[in-house]
Amino acid sequence: YGDIFKMRILGCPCIMISSPEAARFVLMNNAQLFKPTFPASKERMIGPSALFFHQGEYHARLRKVVQISFLPEAIRVIIPDIESIAISSLKTWEGRTINTFQEMKKYAFDVGIHSIFGRLDDALKDDLDKYYHILEKGYNSMPLNLPGTRFNKSIKARKKLSEILSNIIAERRATNVPHKDLLQSLMASRDEGGDGARKEEIADNVVGVLFAAQDTTASVLTWVVKFLTKYPTLLKAVTAEQETIQETKENGMSLTFADTKKMSLTTKVIQETLRVATVLSFTFREAVEDVEYKGYLIPKGWKVMPLFRNIHHNPEYFPDPHKFDPSRFEVPPKPNTFMPFGNGIHSCPGNQLAHTEILILIHHLTTKYRWDAVGTEDGIEYGPFPIPKQGLPLRVTTESVTQSGRKPK
């Protein structure tokens, strides 16, 4: 139907846009005219004060607070901790047949927890993991709060999460020990506001960050492994790049932020994965007033959906778009044609952290392990983000000789 058309989704009138110009119009140039909107169940589960449900002054203030925790300077400090999480995660895969997506979810969750809380007591971490994974099952459920429903179970889990977070905040206030993590930044921000820290607001944003940090990153990591498995020559080249970096390390030395900047081929593989898989297929906005675009009227209250997948798979911007070709990113893509993390004031503030944790896990996976796909079933399933069928089952082993044929140090 072209670059802009209307349709109804579950009875809701929607404007679908699939051109870079239209995406820029909605997400950047006129972002104040289009507010973020999400399913009612998801908003209630995460919490109404979460960053990505807002715009205006509140959004600008909170986004600044969140971004501080995800700047390169902050990520540099926690790279040894991310690496430790990656190594520990991979050790649990040895000699097993794994559901790659589920294992990547565990890894992304642990990194997310660390970025929010720093080093956390194991019992607290287990409780957060337990109740968050009950909660997430209700994100896209029908909002029927009846006993036994998925929504009801998730509501109860959300209350437990709020209690845990409230106790963590109270303990931090009581001990007054300084921390350098997202939770501390959120607490300080609310204290400066003069009305004390509204624990509900902090809890909403902690849950929001966990939501943003887990499934999307896990999906991308799963697709990266899928494509490396599918293209052995590419896997060999990526492994060689990672081994070159590994060879510069003395025993026990951690990766550094500078090391991740040397992973140029791996970075292009990640970029091409983000384009081909387009884990974030679209985003929801809602017109806050009547808006005109190129002679079309977008009525107030109608949903507007920039279709990132359509743009990423448009041969005008990416020739032979269904071919997996990381070399296409040797030249930067044209503006507004590559938007894996959204665009504008509501783009993902944690994209640098996600990129770094992907690089670190791929480094250790390719230099220390071998793996083989289990089964022959191909295709995509949605939960709701696109992932390979059955979560990409793999058989993982350690080898004395690496993928590129060289012995690891």
Side-chain angles (χ1 to χ4, degrees):
Y1 297 104
D3 290 342
I4 180 167
F5 58 93
K6 64 180 181 180
M7 65 182 298
R8 288 180 178 269
I9 299 179
L10 299 176
C12 179
C14 298
I15 303 291
M16 321 297 279
I17 58 175
S18 58
S19 74
E21 298 77 18
R24 180 179 177 84
F25 178 85
V26 171
L27 300 176
M28 297 183 69
N29 294 353
N30 297 278
Q32 75 282 1
L33 300 179
F34 301 93
K35 69 178 182 179
T37 181
F38 288 81
S41 57
K42 185 168 289 184
E43 186 168 340
R44 185 166 176 185
M45 293 298 162
I46 294 173
S49 297
L51 172 68
F52 39 71
F53 297 142
H54 292 270
Q55 57 183 12
E57 184 180 343
Y58 174 84
H59 174 268
R61 175 182 65 78
L62 198 57
R63 183 178 174 87
K64 185 177 180 181
V65 171
V66 172
Q67 278 185 316
I68 289 171
S69 298
F70 297 131
L71 290 173
E73 293 76 16
I75 295 172
R76 278 189 182 92
V77 176
I78 64 171
I79 279 183
D81 300 304
I82 298 174
E83 185 173 24
S84 177
I85 293 168
I87 292 169
S88 297
S89 298
L90 289 167
K91 278 187 178 298
T92 68
W93 302 7
E94 294 178 7
R96 292 174 51 215
T97 297
I98 64 165
N99 179 309
T100 307
F101 176 62
Q102 293 301 324
E103 296 299 329
M104 295 304 188
K105 280 186 69 169
K106 294 176 189 175
Y107 168 64
F109 183 82
D110 287 346
V111 173
I113 287 289
H114 187 83
S115 69
I116 296 167
F117 301 101
R119 289 176 182 163
L120 197 62
D121 178 80
D122 285 343
L124 276 175
K125 193 187 297 183
D126 289 344
D127 283 344
L128 287 168
D129 180 78
K130 172 185 173 182
Y131 291 112
Y132 181 80
H133 286 101
I134 296 171
L135 168 70
E136 69 171 353
K137 290 179 171 64
Y139 278 153
N140 298 298
S141 62
M142 291 292 289
L144 298 174
N145 195 12
L146 299 173
T149 63
R150 184 175 289 181
F151 186 82
N152 179 261
K153 292 176 183 177
S154 296
I155 287 290
K156 290 178 179 177
R158 180 63 173 81
K159 289 178 180 176
K160 293 294 293 184
L161 283 171
S162 292
E163 291 173 13
I164 295 168
L165 292 168
S166 179
N167 291 336
I168 294 172
I169 292 167
E171 184 179 345
R172 285 201 179 188
R173 289 232 166 85
T175 57
N176 204 29
V177 176
H179 294 77
K180 292 184 178 180
D181 51 41
L182 177 59
L183 178 61
Q184 196 67 32
S185 297
L186 290 169
M187 290 170 61
S189 170
R190 291 307 307 161
D191 287 341
E192 289 170 7
D195 57 353
R198 284 183 54 225
K199 292 178 181 177
E200 300 87 356
E201 181 180 309
I202 294 174
D204 291 356
N205 282 286
V206 167
V207 173
V209 169
L210 285 174
F211 163 71
Q214 189 187 27
D215 277 29
T216 49
T217 303
S219 299
V220 174
L221 267 165
T222 304
W223 281 110
V224 169
V225 175
K226 166 75 172 179
F227 290 129
L228 289 177
T229 306
K230 186 175 181 179
Y231 301 108
T233 302
L234 181 61
L235 172 58
K236 188 173 181 179
V238 167
T239 303
E241 176 178 82
Q242 297 299 336
E243 286 175 348
T244 299
I245 294 168
Q246 184 190 42
E247 287 167 0
T248 67
K249 299 293 174 185
E250 299 297 332
N251 289 336
M253 282 182 63
S254 295
L255 290 170
T256 65
F257 195 73
D259 290 327
T260 65
K261 295 301 179 184
K262 299 173 186 174
M263 302 176 183
S264 58
L265 174 59
T266 312
T267 292
K268 293 183 185 73
V269 169
I270 294 169
Q271 290 174 310
E272 180 68 341
T273 299
L274 287 164
R275 185 195 70 80
V276 173
T278 308
V279 169
L280 185 65
S281 303
F282 56 85
T283 188
F284 276 107
R285 295 291 184 269
E286 181 180 313
V288 299
E289 60 182 65
D290 288 352
V291 181
E292 185 176 329
Y293 174 71
K294 290 191 173 181
Y296 294 100
L297 174 67
I298 302 175
K300 178 182 177 179
W302 281 38
K303 310 297 184 190
V304 180
M305 296 171 62
L307 303 174
F308 300 134
R309 181 180 298 278
N310 295 47
I311 297 171
H312 291 172
H313 287 239
N314 189 326
E316 182 179 347
Y317 316 121
F318 298 100
D320 198 1
H322 299 296
K323 179 182 179 182
F324 190 84
D325 180 13
S327 70
R328 70 174 83 240
F329 283 93
E330 290 172 2
V331 177
K334 295 177 181 178
N336 306 299
T337 61
F338 183 58
M339 297 174 281
F341 299 100
N343 208 351
I345 60 174
H346 287 281
S347 61
C348 176
N351 65 77
Q352 182 64 64
L353 174 64
H355 183 75
T356 302
E357 67 184 276
I358 292 170
L359 286 172
I360 289 172
L361 188 128
I362 294 301
H363 171 82
H364 287 283
L365 178 63
T366 56
T367 57
K368 297 175 182 175
Y369 296 89
R370 298 290 296 265
W371 66 89
D372 295 291
V374 176
T376 58
E377 188 172 3
D378 208 358
I380 301 173
E381 61 188 41
Y382 295 84
F385 300 107
I387 58 172
K389 279 279 189 183
Q390 299 181 340
L392 187 62
L394 295 178
R395 180 73 179 173
V396 181
T397 58
T398 55
E399 290 283 343
S400 60
V401 178
T402 63
Q403 309 270 10
S404 66
R406 292 188 284 180
K407 291 184 178 181
K409 295 180 71 175

mmCIF file of all heavy atoms in Angstrom, residues 113-142:
data_model
loop_
_atom_site.group_PDB
_atom_site.id
_atom_site.type_symbol
_atom_site.label_atom_id
_atom_site.label_comp_id
_atom_site.label_asym_id
_atom_site.label_seq_id
_atom_site.Cartn_x
_atom_site.Cartn_y
_atom_site.Cartn_z
ATOM 1 N N ILE A 113 20.706 -6.670 35.713
ATOM 2 C CA ILE A 113 20.681 -6.565 37.175
ATOM 3 C C ILE A 113 21.937 -5.858 37.669
ATOM 4 O O ILE A 113 21.887 -4.975 38.540
ATOM 5 C CB ILE A 113 20.556 -7.963 37.824
ATOM 6 C CG1 ILE A 113 19.141 -8.512 37.632
ATOM 7 C CG2 ILE A 113 20.923 -7.918 39.302
ATOM 8 C CD1 ILE A 113 18.070 -7.827 38.449
ATOM 9 N N HIS A 114 23.087 -6.228 37.105
ATOM 10 C CA HIS A 114 24.342 -5.610 37.547
ATOM 11 C C HIS A 114 24.390 -4.126 37.196
ATOM 12 O O HIS A 114 24.866 -3.312 37.995
ATOM 13 C CB HIS A 114 25.537 -6.329 36.930
ATOM 14 C CG HIS A 114 26.850 -5.847 37.478
ATOM 15 N ND1 HIS A 114 27.383 -6.316 38.658
ATOM 16 C CD2 HIS A 114 27.713 -4.898 37.031
ATOM 17 C CE1 HIS A 114 28.518 -5.684 38.906
ATOM 18 N NE2 HIS A 114 28.749 -4.836 37.935
ATOM 19 N N SER A 115 23.889 -3.766 36.017
ATOM 20 C CA SER A 115 23.922 -2.347 35.626
ATOM 21 C C SER A 115 23.010 -1.502 36.510
ATOM 22 O O SER A 115 23.262 -0.311 36.721
ATOM 23 C CB SER A 115 23.531 -2.189 34.157
ATOM 24 O OG SER A 115 22.164 -2.492 33.958
ATOM 25 N N ILE A 116 21.962 -2.114 37.053
ATOM 26 C CA ILE A 116 21.018 -1.390 37.910
ATOM 27 C C ILE A 116 21.489 -1.335 39.355
ATOM 28 O O ILE A 116 21.493 -0.276 39.989
ATOM 29 C CB ILE A 116 19.622 -2.042 37.856
ATOM 30 C CG1 ILE A 116 19.036 -1.945 36.449
ATOM 31 C CG2 ILE A 116 18.672 -1.373 38.857
ATOM 32 C CD1 ILE A 116 17.826 -2.827 36.234
ATOM 33 N N PHE A 117 21.931 -2.493 39.888
ATOM 34 C CA PHE A 117 22.210 -2.603 41.322
ATOM 35 C C PHE A 117 23.687 -2.752 41.671
ATOM 36 O O PHE A 117 24.036 -2.738 42.853
ATOM 37 C CB PHE A 117 21.484 -3.829 41.904
ATOM 38 C CG PHE A 117 19.997 -3.803 41.738
ATOM 39 C CD1 PHE A 117 19.386 -4.549 40.736
ATOM 40 C CD2 PHE A 117 19.185 -3.038 42.566
ATOM 41 C CE1 PHE A 117 18.011 -4.544 40.579
ATOM 42 C CE2 PHE A 117 17.815 -3.021 42.403
ATOM 43 C CZ PHE A 117 17.219 -3.773 41.413
ATOM 44 N N GLY A 118 24.550 -2.944 40.680
ATOM 45 C CA GLY A 118 25.914 -3.305 41.006
ATOM 46 C C GLY A 118 25.944 -4.731 41.528
ATOM 47 O O GLY A 118 25.141 -5.569 41.142
ATOM 48 N N ARG A 119 26.845 -5.000 42.434
ATOM 49 C CA ARG A 119 26.937 -6.359 43.009
ATOM 50 C C ARG A 119 25.853 -6.527 44.059
ATOM 51 O O ARG A 119 25.782 -5.778 45.015
ATOM 52 C CB ARG A 119 28.322 -6.577 43.595
ATOM 53 C CG ARG A 119 29.354 -6.699 42.483
ATOM 54 C CD ARG A 119 30.758 -6.823 42.963
ATOM 55 N NE ARG A 119 31.661 -6.883 41.809
ATOM 56 C CZ ARG A 119 32.958 -6.671 41.896
ATOM 57 N NH1 ARG A 119 33.510 -6.395 43.050
ATOM 58 N NH2 ARG A 119 33.704 -6.740 40.811
ATOM 59 N N LEU A 120 25.046 -7.553 43.844
ATOM 60 C CA LEU A 120 23.859 -7.759 44.663
ATOM 61 C C LEU A 120 23.934 -9.123 45.345
ATOM 62 O O LEU A 120 24.451 -10.081 44.773
ATOM 63 C CB LEU A 120 22.618 -7.682 43.768
ATOM 64 C CG LEU A 120 21.253 -7.468 44.415
ATOM 65 C CD1 LEU A 120 21.203 -6.131 45.154
ATOM 66 C CD2 LEU A 120 20.163 -7.492 43.340
ATOM 67 N N ASP A 121 23.417 -9.202 46.557
ATOM 68 C CA ASP A 121 23.345 -10.462 47.285
ATOM 69 C C ASP A 121 22.645 -11.531 46.427
ATOM 70 O O ASP A 121 21.637 -11.253 45.783
ATOM 71 C CB ASP A 121 22.575 -10.236 48.596
ATOM 72 C CG ASP A 121 22.415 -11.504 49.399
ATOM 73 O OD1 ASP A 121 23.370 -11.888 50.086
ATOM 74 O OD2 ASP A 121 21.322 -12.112 49.328
ATOM 75 N N ASP A 122 23.193 -12.752 46.430
ATOM 76 C CA ASP A 122 22.646 -13.824 45.586
ATOM 77 C C ASP A 122 21.178 -14.112 45.878
ATOM 78 O O ASP A 122 20.392 -14.379 44.961
ATOM 79 C CB ASP A 122 23.465 -15.109 45.765
ATOM 80 C CG ASP A 122 24.809 -15.040 45.060
ATOM 81 O OD1 ASP A 122 24.964 -14.167 44.184
ATOM 82 O OD2 ASP A 122 25.691 -15.858 45.384
ATOM 83 N N ALA A 123 20.802 -14.077 47.156
ATOM 84 C CA ALA A 123 19.410 -14.369 47.513
ATOM 85 C C ALA A 123 18.471 -13.307 46.931
ATOM 86 O O ALA A 123 17.395 -13.634 46.413
ATOM 87 C CB ALA A 123 19.257 -14.435 49.031
ATOM 88 N N LEU A 124 18.887 -12.045 46.993
ATOM 89 C CA LEU A 124 18.078 -10.966 46.421
ATOM 90 C C LEU A 124 17.984 -11.116 44.909
ATOM 91 O O LEU A 124 16.927 -10.923 44.306
ATOM 92 C CB LEU A 124 18.676 -9.600 46.772
ATOM 93 C CG LEU A 124 18.312 -9.007 48.127
ATOM 94 C CD1 LEU A 124 19.092 -7.711 48.353
ATOM 95 C CD2 LEU A 124 16.811 -8.732 48.209
ATOM 96 N N LYS A 125 19.118 -11.460 44.298
ATOM 97 C CA LYS A 125 19.135 -11.644 42.840
ATOM 98 C C LYS A 125 18.194 -12.770 42.421
ATOM 99 O O LYS A 125 17.453 -12.641 41.437
ATOM 100 C CB LYS A 125 20.560 -11.945 42.369
ATOM 101 C CG LYS A 125 20.751 -11.856 40.869
ATOM 102 C CD LYS A 125 22.134 -12.324 40.455
ATOM 103 C CE LYS A 125 23.222 -11.469 41.036
ATOM 104 N NZ LYS A 125 24.573 -11.898 40.578
ATOM 105 N N ASP A 126 18.192 -13.854 43.194
ATOM 106 C CA ASP A 126 17.301 -14.982 42.892
ATOM 107 C C ASP A 126 15.835 -14.577 43.017
ATOM 108 O O ASP A 126 14.989 -14.982 42.202
ATOM 109 C CB ASP A 126 17.595 -16.156 43.825
ATOM 110 C CG ASP A 126 18.928 -16.827 43.529
ATOM 111 O OD1 ASP A 126 19.476 -16.595 42.430
ATOM 112 O OD2 ASP A 126 19.432 -17.557 44.402
ATOM 113 N N ASP A 127 15.521 -13.771 44.043
ATOM 114 C CA ASP A 127 14.142 -13.308 44.215
ATOM 115 C C ASP A 127 13.714 -12.399 43.067
ATOM 116 O O ASP A 127 12.600 -12.518 42.548
ATOM 117 C CB ASP A 127 13.990 -12.565 45.548
ATOM 118 C CG ASP A 127 13.913 -13.509 46.738
ATOM 119 O OD1 ASP A 127 13.672 -14.710 46.523
ATOM 120 O OD2 ASP A 127 14.101 -13.044 47.879
ATOM 121 N N LEU A 128 14.598 -11.491 42.659
ATOM 122 C CA LEU A 128 14.284 -10.606 41.529
ATOM 123 C C LEU A 128 14.057 -11.423 40.266
ATOM 124 O O LEU A 128 13.125 -11.155 39.499
ATOM 125 C CB LEU A 128 15.420 -9.603 41.320
ATOM 126 C CG LEU A 128 15.548 -8.483 42.354
ATOM 127 C CD1 LEU A 128 16.876 -7.752 42.183
ATOM 128 C CD2 LEU A 128 14.390 -7.491 42.226
ATOM 129 N N ASP A 129 14.907 -12.418 40.058
ATOM 130 C CA ASP A 129 14.774 -13.289 38.887
ATOM 131 C C ASP A 129 13.445 -14.046 38.926
ATOM 132 O O ASP A 129 12.711 -14.105 37.925
ATOM 133 C CB ASP A 129 15.947 -14.271 38.855
ATOM 134 C CG ASP A 129 15.879 -15.214 37.667
ATOM 135 O OD1 ASP A 129 16.232 -14.791 36.560
ATOM 136 O OD2 ASP A 129 15.468 -16.371 37.849
ATOM 137 N N LYS A 130 13.114 -14.601 40.075
ATOM 138 C CA LYS A 130 11.890 -15.391 40.220
ATOM 139 C C LYS A 130 10.650 -14.561 39.903
ATOM 140 O O LYS A 130 9.806 -14.962 39.076
ATOM 141 C CB LYS A 130 11.809 -15.927 41.652
ATOM 142 C CG LYS A 130 10.486 -16.611 41.993
ATOM 143 C CD LYS A 130 10.445 -17.011 43.466
ATOM 144 C CE LYS A 130 9.084 -17.539 43.862
ATOM 145 N NZ LYS A 130 9.024 -17.889 45.310
ATOM 146 N N TYR A 131 10.526 -13.405 40.528
ATOM 147 C CA TYR A 131 9.300 -12.631 40.371
ATOM 148 C C TYR A 131 9.263 -11.873 39.041
ATOM 149 O O TYR A 131 8.182 -11.687 38.473
ATOM 150 C CB TYR A 131 9.132 -11.666 41.551
ATOM 151 C CG TYR A 131 8.826 -12.396 42.837
ATOM 152 C CD1 TYR A 131 9.744 -12.422 43.889
ATOM 153 C CD2 TYR A 131 7.639 -13.108 42.995
ATOM 154 C CE1 TYR A 131 9.479 -13.108 45.061
ATOM 155 C CE2 TYR A 131 7.365 -13.806 44.168
ATOM 156 C CZ TYR A 131 8.284 -13.807 45.193
ATOM 157 O OH TYR A 131 8.018 -14.495 46.347
ATOM 158 N N TYR A 132 10.433 -11.495 38.531
ATOM 159 C CA TYR A 132 10.408 -10.824 37.228
ATOM 160 C C TYR A 132 9.931 -11.780 36.138
ATOM 161 O O TYR A 132 9.167 -11.388 35.245
ATOM 162 C CB TYR A 132 11.783 -10.258 36.850
ATOM 163 C CG TYR A 132 11.720 -9.558 35.513
ATOM 164 C CD1 TYR A 132 11.215 -8.262 35.415
ATOM 165 C CD2 TYR A 132 12.072 -10.208 34.337
ATOM 166 C CE1 TYR A 132 11.088 -7.633 34.182
ATOM 167 C CE2 TYR A 132 11.952 -9.586 33.105
ATOM 168 C CZ TYR A 132 11.458 -8.305 33.041
ATOM 169 O OH TYR A 132 11.317 -7.688 31.820
ATOM 170 N N HIS A 133 10.333 -13.035 36.201
ATOM 171 C CA HIS A 133 9.949 -13.972 35.143
ATOM 172 C C HIS A 133 8.499 -14.431 35.255
ATOM 173 O O HIS A 133 7.939 -14.918 34.276
ATOM 174 C CB HIS A 133 10.936 -15.145 35.100
ATOM 175 C CG HIS A 133 12.254 -14.750 34.514
ATOM 176 N ND1 HIS A 133 13.355 -14.485 35.287
ATOM 177 C CD2 HIS A 133 12.631 -14.491 33.241
ATOM 178 C CE1 HIS A 133 14.367 -14.115 34.514
ATOM 179 N NE2 HIS A 133 13.953 -14.106 33.273
ATOM 180 N N ILE A 134 7.900 -14.264 36.415
ATOM 181 C CA ILE A 134 6.446 -14.427 36.504
ATOM 182 C C ILE A 134 5.774 -13.194 35.900
ATOM 183 O O ILE A 134 4.810 -13.301 35.133
ATOM 184 C CB ILE A 134 5.997 -14.607 37.970
ATOM 185 C CG1 ILE A 134 6.580 -15.892 38.561
ATOM 186 C CG2 ILE A 134 4.460 -14.642 38.057
ATOM 187 C CD1 ILE A 134 6.362 -16.038 40.061
ATOM 188 N N LEU A 135 6.324 -12.038 36.239
ATOM 189 C CA LEU A 135 5.773 -10.770 35.740
ATOM 190 C C LEU A 135 5.756 -10.706 34.219
ATOM 191 O O LEU A 135 4.746 -10.336 33.606
ATOM 192 C CB LEU A 135 6.592 -9.605 36.302
ATOM 193 C CG LEU A 135 6.358 -8.219 35.688
ATOM 194 C CD1 LEU A 135 4.986 -7.692 36.080
ATOM 195 C CD2 LEU A 135 7.443 -7.238 36.106
ATOM 196 N N GLU A 136 6.865 -11.067 33.573
ATOM 197 C CA GLU A 136 6.982 -10.857 32.132
ATOM 198 C C GLU A 136 5.984 -11.702 31.338
ATOM 199 O O GLU A 136 5.653 -11.353 30.204
ATOM 200 C CB GLU A 136 8.404 -11.147 31.657
ATOM 201 C CG GLU A 136 8.802 -12.600 31.714
ATOM 202 C CD GLU A 136 10.136 -12.865 31.033
ATOM 203 O OE1 GLU A 136 10.674 -11.936 30.406
ATOM 204 O OE2 GLU A 136 10.631 -14.001 31.137
ATOM 205 N N LYS A 137 5.484 -12.763 31.935
ATOM 206 C CA LYS A 137 4.490 -13.582 31.239
ATOM 207 C C LYS A 137 3.168 -12.841 31.059
ATOM 208 O O LYS A 137 2.330 -13.225 30.239
ATOM 209 C CB LYS A 137 4.258 -14.891 31.992
ATOM 210 C CG LYS A 137 5.431 -15.853 31.935
ATOM 211 C CD LYS A 137 5.137 -17.125 32.713
ATOM 212 C CE LYS A 137 6.211 -18.186 32.495
ATOM 213 N NZ LYS A 137 7.516 -17.777 33.001
ATOM 214 N N GLY A 138 2.975 -11.760 31.807
ATOM 215 C CA GLY A 138 1.735 -10.998 31.697
ATOM 216 C C GLY A 138 1.826 -9.756 30.842
ATOM 217 O O GLY A 138 0.841 -9.033 30.684
ATOM 218 N N TYR A 139 3.012 -9.498 30.259
ATOM 219 C CA TYR A 139 3.198 -8.264 29.488
ATOM 220 C C TYR A 139 2.172 -8.103 28.369
ATOM 221 O O TYR A 139 1.672 -7.012 28.133
ATOM 222 C CB TYR A 139 4.607 -8.213 28.903
ATOM 223 C CG TYR A 139 5.675 -7.737 29.855
ATOM 224 C CD1 TYR A 139 6.997 -8.135 29.710
ATOM 225 C CD2 TYR A 139 5.375 -6.879 30.911
ATOM 226 C CE1 TYR A 139 7.997 -7.698 30.570
ATOM 227 C CE2 TYR A 139 6.363 -6.444 31.785
ATOM 228 C CZ TYR A 139 7.673 -6.861 31.605
ATOM 229 O OH TYR A 139 8.646 -6.430 32.462
ATOM 230 N N ASN A 140 1.916 -9.173 27.670
ATOM 231 C CA ASN A 140 1.017 -9.081 26.514
ATOM 232 C C ASN A 140 -0.263 -9.886 26.722
ATOM 233 O O ASN A 140 -0.902 -10.313 25.764
ATOM 234 C CB ASN A 140 1.752 -9.548 25.259
ATOM 235 C CG ASN A 140 2.945 -8.673 24.945
ATOM 236 O OD1 ASN A 140 2.811 -7.484 24.697
ATOM 237 N ND2 ASN A 140 4.129 -9.250 24.983
ATOM 238 N N SER A 141 -0.628 -10.067 27.993
ATOM 239 C CA SER A 141 -1.832 -10.827 28.303
ATOM 240 C C SER A 141 -3.061 -9.922 28.291
ATOM 241 O O SER A 141 -2.955 -8.700 28.333
ATOM 242 C CB SER A 141 -1.692 -11.485 29.677
ATOM 243 O OG SER A 141 -1.541 -10.502 30.687
ATOM 244 N N MET A 142 -4.227 -10.538 28.230
ATOM 245 C CA MET A 142 -5.462 -9.767 28.374
ATOM 246 C C MET A 142 -5.546 -9.231 29.805
ATOM 247 O O MET A 142 -5.338 -9.986 30.755
ATOM 248 C CB MET A 142 -6.677 -10.662 28.089
ATOM 249 C CG MET A 142 -6.793 -11.087 26.644
ATOM 250 S SD MET A 142 -7.170 -9.707 25.537
ATOM 251 C CE MET A 142 -8.858 -9.375 26.007
#
